[in-house]
Amino acid sequence: MISGKRILLTVTGSVSAYKALELARLLRKAGARVIPVLTEGGARFVTPHALQAIAGEAVHEDLWSLAEEATIGHIKLARLPDLVVVAPASADFLAKMALGLADDLATTMLLATQAPILVAPAMNWAMWAHPATVANMATLRSRGVQVIGPGEGAMAEAESGPGRLAEPAEIFAAIEALLSPSPKPLAGKHAVVTSGPTHEPIDPVRYIANRSSGKQGHAIAAALAALGARVTLVSGPVHQPDPKGVSMVRVESAREMLAAVEAALPADIAVFAAAVADWRTAAAATQKMKKVPGQAPAPLELALNPDILSTISHHATQRPGLVVGFAAETENVIENATTKRARKGCDWIVANDVSGDVMGGAENAVHLVSASGVEDWPRLPKDEVAARLAQRIAEAVGG
Ligand code: C5P
């Protein structure tokens, strides 16, 4: 997969920059063309001579170099590669990327390129954990930048923790995976996914809601899109970045969510992962309800919300070919999920035990309940649950 590919390898300022030489060697050995770019910081750790000798190609360093601009130019350079790899990517360089700065050749080229980007961060553990870096990484990920590492372990400054540059072989494997054409079994299919909680207003400042981070639903939308589906993600209020390549519809209440789902039909696949509030207030107050000291609060009159999963599963004319619901249970997980599947009229139920720390957490232990029985999946990161579910969906409806 790597042979004949043009890989622009950007080396930035980190003590681990010496490992970039090994990466360049591996890539060349596999038949890739390595186009090296060195930042000022990177050049403090590896020499342009070493990088140029190993890459077998001229090192690009200077945005203002008349000679370099005359031969190739930074925009041409940006258009050249099949993949841009930043290894190592220092905290400063990642911050510049997140901000879209373009004050040297490497950052300018990254802003101008349309090629996919892989970064391999390397920094001290405290810098990696700093909220600024965490926010920068979230920004970059939400823009589709791929990340490999960092690993955990001993650092140059005799400290230990997460922040070590991924090993050259690992970066090489990530490059290979990115350059392999991924199968698109869901191409031409439309999937509607719900995610997050709904907010049901009590008055202009208060609401009823369920606990839901939207992590699992958003991951499912991303996984379906990665398999080639056109995805409409109807989401309640969450703090998740929009998954790449999906159309977002933002809603607040259950009734808005149902309307948005109905508007998105027809669909081949529907996955209802939202934690929809079962009840809303019968009539939300138009003004903030006043607290009267010493006086008991007025009881809230509740009304039943529409059940989106059940409504769509029983849709007379536009029922999607495969409807998947979720069942968050704290006891008798499988028994309750099996009855829920029958009651709601959906095809599959993904049942999860929420008696532990699943809510808002990174992992999920689920069972897939369908007409053919129950499958128990191991406890997995939510992304992997999503990838497996998308794969199963592709096997069921994919062309
Ligand atoms: O009945 P329960 O809330 O446990 O069912 C969970 C499943 O039903 C989830 O897939 C959820 O997204 C969906 N649901 C819905 N509309 C509701 C309540 C639940 O779509 N009003």
Side-chain angles (χ1 to χ4, degrees), residues 194 272-274 276-278 305-309 325-327 340 343-344:
T194 68
F272 295 109
V276 183
D278 291 317
N305 261 336
D307 188 315
I308 304 166
L309 173 61
F326 272 70
K340 195 167 286 178
R343 194 176 69 239
K344 303 246 188 182

Side-chain angles (χ1 to χ4, degrees), residues 10-14 17 37-49 51 59-61 88:
T10 299
V11 180
T12 77
S14 153
V37 173
L38 193 56
T39 66
E40 203 182 328
R44 302 257 171 185
F45 294 96
V46 289
T47 72
H49 303 83
L51 191 56
V59 172
H60 303 275
E61 282 188 284

Side-chain angles (χ1 to χ4, degrees), residues 3-365:
S3 178
K5 293 285 195 285
R6 290 161 303 198
I7 296 165
L8 199 141
L9 176 62
T10 299
V11 180
T12 77
S14 153
V15 65
S16 62
Y18 70 94
K19 291 189 189 171
L21 298 176
E22 171 64 1
L23 176 63
R25 191 188 69 80
L26 291 174
L27 290 169
R28 254 193 103 190
K29 204 172 117 201
R33 178 175 163 200
V34 180
I35 307 153
V37 173
L38 193 56
T39 66
E40 203 182 328
R44 302 257 171 185
F45 294 96
V46 289
T47 72
H49 303 83
L51 191 56
Q52 184 159 303
I54 291 177
E57 188 149 338
V59 172
H60 303 275
E61 282 188 284
D62 187 2
L63 184 60
W64 306 110
S65 153
L66 282 175
E68 269 189 44
E69 281 297 300
T71 49
I72 174 133
H74 62 277
I75 299 294
K76 254 201 209 153
L77 190 63
R79 300 279 151 79
L80 206 58
D82 297 298
L83 178 70
V84 178
V85 179
V86 185
S90 67
D92 173 68
F93 195 81
L94 292 164
K96 283 179 170 164
M97 279 177 75
L99 272 177
L101 295 187
D103 61 354
D104 66 2
L105 179 67
T107 48
T108 307
M109 192 272 312
L110 273 159
L111 208 53
T113 193
Q114 303 205 309
I117 300 169
L118 172 71
V119 297
M123 65 198 74
N124 173 269
W125 63 267
M127 293 167 82
W128 177 247
H130 194 284
T133 308
V134 172
N136 291 334
M137 291 310 297
T139 303
L140 294 173
R141 283 195 165 100
S142 74
R143 290 188 198 137
V145 170
Q146 302 290 317
V147 183
I148 171 82
E152 201 156 329
M155 300 191 157
E157 55 274 37
E159 289 182 3
S160 186
R164 268 168 69 96
L165 178 68
E167 291 306 319
E170 281 174 72
I171 306 174
F172 180 87
I175 294 172
E176 205 166 32
L178 277 173
L179 290 175
S180 309
S182 50
K184 303 279 182 218
L186 290 176
K189 305 284 180 198
H190 179 211
V192 179
V193 179
T194 68
S195 182
T198 63
H199 285 182
E200 310 297 332
I202 296 172
D203 67 18
V205 296
R206 303 179 177 96
Y207 58 81
I208 303 173
N210 280 351
R211 245 188 240 276
S212 168
S213 65
K215 265 193 195 120
Q216 187 65 80
H218 277 52
I220 291 167
L224 291 168
L227 294 188
R230 176 168 73 82
V231 179
T232 307
L233 175 57
V234 182
S235 175
V238 293
H239 300 283
Q240 299 291 330
D242 294 350
K244 204 180 132 204
V246 313
S247 340
M248 291 296 302
V249 183
R250 279 173 247 275
V251 298
E252 295 251 331
S253 68
R255 287 187 294 175
E256 286 169 14
M257 188 172 271
L258 174 61
V261 168
E262 284 178 326
L265 297 178
D268 306 283
I269 302 150
V271 183
F272 295 109
V276 183
D278 291 317
W279 307 288
R280 63 177 185 276
T281 51
T286 51
Q287 302 297 330
K288 183 180 173 190
M289 291 159 71
K290 287 289 172 208
K291 169 180 68 181
V292 184
Q295 200 173 306
L300 277 183
E301 199 190 323
L302 297 179
L304 199 58
N305 261 336
D307 188 315
I308 304 166
L309 173 61
S310 177
T311 308
I312 302 300
S313 294
H314 294 104
H315 204 289
T317 52
Q318 290 191 306
R319 186 194 192 278
L322 182 69
V323 181
V324 184
F326 272 70
E329 304 287 347
T330 53
E331 54 185 356
N332 303 330
V333 179
I334 296 186
E335 201 182 308
N336 289 339
T338 309
T339 354
K340 195 167 286 178
R341 191 181 91 82
R343 194 176 69 239
K344 303 246 188 182
C346 58
D347 302 295
W348 298 352
I349 284 265
V350 180
N352 59 337
D353 185 345
V354 290
S355 53
D357 57 353
V358 162
M359 298 286 192
E363 292 195 329
N364 217 346

